[in-house]
Amino acid sequence: MTQSQKNHSKSIYKLFIFSFFLALITYGFSLTNFTVSIDNEMPILPDYGLDLGRWGHNLILYHLFGGHLQYFTLVLSLFLFSVAAVQISKLFKFSGYAAYWFCGLFVTFPQLSYQLVFGMMSVIAALGVLLSSLAVYLFVKSFEIKSLPKKIFLFLIVSLLLMFTLAMYQAFIFIPATLYLILFFQSSFEDTFKISLEIKKTLLFGVVIIVSGVLYYLSVKIICPLQQGGYIESFVSGESENQFMKFYSIWKDNLLGSFYYGAKTFSIVTLASIVLIIRFIIDRKHFLIRILTLFAILLIPFLLSLVITNGYHPPRLYLTSNLVFAFLIVFTINHLNLSSFNSVKTVIVLIIIINVYFVTNLFYSANKIYKHDRKIAEKIDSTIQIKYPNFINTEKSIYFYGFFPYEYHQKFRLEKSEIFGGSFYCWDNGNNYRIINFFKVADIAEYSMITKDNFDLVIDSIAKMPVWPNPESVKMINNSVIVKLGNNKGMPLYFE
């Protein structure tokens, strides 16, 4: 290994250590404070994700990890995201301060927390970004290979990598598309830029993505059971009065950083883009291509909201917003030759600190709601044990009727914090499966879901019961305990 190669490897190692250390700081509160948030109570079963065509997700989470583990899962996710940040910075040819800035902005942008909060999704999200960046890197390197068979073989490897990312989570298709779009944008600033050649490369990349999609489709037909609708279809089950105007409103709010809690710093990207557009017009060279590509880069992270018609737009779907956020800030600094100014360095540090604050506050809020939910669970279980001490010797069949109003936990919530503001006693309007699993994961008690026969015996007796926290809101009827959380019936049980 030459001295230059040793120096390069050393710089890459330092960049990773920086990224990983900063990621640990950003998610330090979550790592050191046990919290059970929505979806993290769900057990990982043998068929997990298969009905949604996510056999890669199933392979990793069930067969490889055997479920998700609170501390380990998050640490591994942060490790993989840090590796991905370094890989992408190399792909974009950032060096020096620019590489550190990109990685720092990439791992701290709060949108990532909306993915990492899910134990069953965090490692998958990080791995999806890493494999997508590797696939794009190999595709770019293929143009350095003159042998046609080797080039085709490399294209096949890229297609297989992208196929596997789709098998983990179908929305990952936006990651390689965004990465390549940014590379196309960067190429327009090179002296050797030829629009016809770049379009040919882009079309070829499109063919590779199509091949990966076909391979994924075939793999689902072979591996996964027949799908009967569900999660994906639920996002397009509603009707929008004006889908394009609704999307424009969501896109605008995202650009202004007001769509969800923690996105405020994204408004810096919008401001930087306006400055770039003005600069492109003044420079005139390839200005139309650059402006259109920049517009596409700002559009693609939020494109999924265009097809959602049920009115629910969770921030976790904007998978590439942290990528676009980090790239455009660093690119703008480099393009305007501002990297040597101390004030610019100070601004980057401030942005990262603000991001860390938002992420910490999100997990702190979720932890407060968890502790409150846990106290209620302890009181409910204590009431059951005091009133019905023999219940412990039965099958412990239980039914939670109704749900708490959303405002019940309002004092703990951050505005527009989506999943971080979720309580098990009101999410899904009182989902018995979630609540019972929460009692188990929070180490309060292990209950059994009420059967249909027992449900039919108790349902007519619930109307006259008071609601929690009245002690009479807990009542045993025909060996099943009923806990009345609210007057309105909650989510139907699996047999209703």
Side-chain angles (χ1 to χ4, degrees), residues 9 56 144 343:
S9 298
E144 300 176 7
S343 57

Side-chain angles (χ1 to χ4, degrees), residues 87-270:
Q87 172 64 31
I88 295 171
S89 70
K90 286 174 55 183
L91 185 64
F92 293 160
K93 298 179 181 178
F94 289 143
S95 59
Y97 279 121
Y100 284 89
W101 292 341
F102 175 83
C103 291
L105 294 169
F106 182 91
V107 299
T108 63
F109 187 60
Q111 191 279 337
L112 270 188
S113 61
Y114 287 89
Q115 301 171 49
L116 292 171
V117 71
F118 293 99
M120 76 289 293
M121 187 63 197
S122 57
V123 172
I124 300 301
L127 192 58
V129 174
L130 180 58
L131 292 180
S132 295
S133 63
L134 178 60
V136 174
Y137 171 78
L138 292 176
F139 178 81
V140 173
K141 294 295 288 185
S142 69
F143 292 102
E144 300 176 7
I145 300 175
K146 294 182 179 180
S147 171
L148 183 59
K150 290 183 179 179
K151 192 185 292 284
I152 293 174
F153 177 74
L154 198 55
F155 287 157
L156 179 60
I157 295 297
V158 172
S159 295
L160 290 172
L161 281 173
L162 295 180
M163 176 202 71
F164 187 68
T165 63
L166 290 173
M168 291 190 293
Y169 189 53
Q170 295 89 337
F172 282 157
I173 194 63
F174 286 94
I175 299 173
T178 303
L179 287 169
Y180 196 80
L181 188 62
I182 289 174
L183 290 177
F184 181 91
F185 177 70
Q186 285 183 304
S187 69
S188 69
F189 295 89
E190 297 174 359
D191 294 333
T192 57
F193 177 73
K194 292 182 180 179
I195 183 64
S196 58
L197 178 60
E198 293 302 324
I199 289 177
K200 288 179 181 178
K201 290 181 180 178
T202 303
L203 291 174
L204 181 57
F205 187 68
V207 170
V208 171
I209 287 181
I210 291 173
V211 171
S212 68
V214 172
L215 292 174
Y216 167 67
Y217 175 79
L218 294 174
S219 70
V220 169
K221 289 295 183 183
I222 296 171
I223 300 172
C224 300
L226 182 65
Q227 300 179 46
Q228 300 293 334
Y231 178 79
I232 298 175
E233 288 77 0
S234 68
F235 279 99
V236 294
S237 61
E239 293 183 4
S240 176
E241 294 179 3
N242 190 320
Q243 193 67 9
F244 289 100
M245 289 304 297
K246 181 64 178 177
F247 172 71
Y248 170 75
S249 176
I250 292 172
W251 185 48
K252 180 193 68 176
D253 288 345
N254 272 290
L255 292 182
L256 296 176
S258 61
F259 189 67
Y260 57 89
Y261 181 86
K264 187 59 67 178
T265 51
F266 198 88
S267 59
I268 298 171
V269 171
T270 305

Side-chain angles (χ1 to χ4, degrees), residues 324-395:
V324 170
F325 171 78
F327 168 75
L328 283 178
I329 290 177
V330 175
F331 177 84
T332 302
I333 293 172
N334 285 350
H335 186 66
L336 300 179
N337 297 315
L338 301 175
S339 58
S340 60
F341 290 89
N342 288 330
S343 57
V344 171
K345 299 173 185 177
T346 302
V347 169
I348 294 294
V349 172
L350 286 175
I351 293 172
I352 290 174
I353 291 173
I354 292 170
N355 283 343
V356 173
Y357 167 79
F358 285 145
V359 172
T360 303
N361 212 17
L362 281 168
F363 283 98
Y364 178 51
S365 171
N367 183 255
K368 286 191 291 185
I369 292 176
Y370 159 69
K371 287 180 177 178
H372 194 247
D373 277 0
R374 195 178 193 281
K375 286 181 180 178
I376 294 171
E378 289 172 341
K379 289 179 181 178
I380 290 174
D381 185 62
S382 176
T383 302
I384 293 173
Q385 291 186 43
I386 292 171
K387 293 184 69 174
Y388 309 107
N390 292 328
F391 184 60
I392 195 171
N393 299 319
T394 69
E395 293 182 358

